[in-house]
Amino acid sequence: MKGIVFTELMEMVEDRFGIEMVDRIIQPKELVSKGIFTSVGTYPFSDLVSILGHLSQATGASIPDLEKVFGQYLAGRFSKMYLPFFQRVNTVFELLDEVDSYIHIEVMKLYPDAELPQFETVRKADNMIEMIYRSQRKMFPFAEGLIDASAHYFQQKVKIQVLEWNSDGAEVRFLVDELA
Ligand code: HEM
């Protein structure tokens, strides 16, 4: 996992729960990174799992819910940090079409050791897109949060349904409907 994911998560936690919460959920002994992150560094996914686990215990929120909230937060940050990706397109559906075919390819050029999911999109109707997520990291609630907040960026209201997932969440089919 790229350090930007960790540094942004720490920002969000500090923002919403205060700096004490950051200290509580970082258990340096458990972490390969020892809890020291730079945005361009790379750290094991297991460190993210550990941090989210402690955040869940400390707040009472489930890990999927925390991932979703973090996805929403990060979409807001990406829309500022990587504005050109959002400015190339006019709708959230166009953005979702480009995640796999353009955005994450550019991300890979910036961070050659990034571990990215795979997406497939199919336009089902003018107001409907299907998006299939595949990743061994099983971060589909995070993807859901990113989709939701990206729609918000384009001032579109969407309903996101998780239609199917394989037993462990490594493959998930989303149906995204634009609401009138
Ligand atoms: C400007 C837009 C975007 C940028 C700059 C971006 C960049 C990134 C980066 C840097 C990572 C971390 C890779 C790593 O840790 O090795 C990542 C992961 C991820 N991205 Fe994106 N992304 C963008 C948009 C999106 C959107 C719209 C979605 C959802 C549809 C998405 C879904 C994901 C997911 C689910 C992961 C977690 C890794 C996994 O599940 O395997 N991204 N992205």
Side-chain angles (χ1 to χ4, degrees):
M1 279 263 117
K2 291 311 298 175
I4 188 173
V5 174
F6 293 89
T7 53
E8 289 296 327
L9 178 62
M10 294 310 125
E11 288 285 326
M12 184 189 84
V13 170
E14 185 177 342
D15 234 48
R16 306 217 169 151
F17 303 102
I19 187 81
E20 317 75 52
M21 183 63 91
V22 175
D23 289 340
R24 241 173 110 182
I25 63 174
I26 300 280
Q27 305 279 340
K29 282 194 210 124
E30 267 178 41
L31 304 174
V32 174
S33 60
K34 302 293 174 217
I36 299 160
F37 308 108
T38 69
S39 62
V40 293
T42 303
Y43 310 95
F45 177 61
S46 57
D47 279 14
L48 186 68
V49 174
S50 159
I51 294 168
L52 286 174
H54 290 297
L55 184 61
S56 168
Q57 280 167 9
T59 59
S62 71
I63 292 176
D65 282 351
L66 290 169
E67 271 190 29
K68 188 169 158 186
V69 168
F70 180 44
Q72 287 168 329
Y73 172 85
L74 205 54
R77 295 283 295 146
F78 280 169
S79 68
K80 298 194 174 80
M81 295 158 67
Y82 299 97
L83 182 62
F85 293 148
F86 288 78
Q87 283 180 327
R88 281 166 54 91
V89 295
N90 297 308
T91 67
V92 66
F93 289 172
E94 287 174 20
L95 185 85
L96 297 181
D97 269 336
E98 294 217 326
V99 176
D100 205 70
S101 62
Y102 178 74
I103 297 174
H104 279 173
I105 291 175
E106 293 302 309
V107 169
M108 218 46 187
K109 291 182 195 163
L110 285 173
Y111 306 120
D113 56 354
E115 293 181 301
L116 293 161
Q118 287 182 316
F119 286 106
E120 236 175 83
T121 48
V122 183
R123 292 287 185 107
K124 293 290 190 185
D126 280 353
N127 61 346
M128 196 187 285
I129 195 167
E130 179 183 271
M131 194 170 198
I132 299 168
Y133 165 86
R134 291 190 184 92
S135 167
Q136 281 314 312
R137 285 164 295 286
K138 303 160 194 170
M139 291 182 73
F140 63 91
F142 176 67
E144 187 180 347
L146 280 162
I147 296 169
D148 181 54
S150 298
H152 198 252
Y153 172 88
F154 293 100
Q155 298 180 328
Q156 291 173 276
K157 275 210 180 95
V158 292
K159 180 174 89 183
I160 306 168
Q161 287 170 273
V162 179
L163 286 191
E164 269 171 31
W165 57 96
N166 70 354
S167 53
D168 61 357
E171 183 172 326
V172 169
R173 193 154 68 94
F174 292 107
L175 195 63
V176 185
D177 275 282
E178 182 173 11
L179 306 174

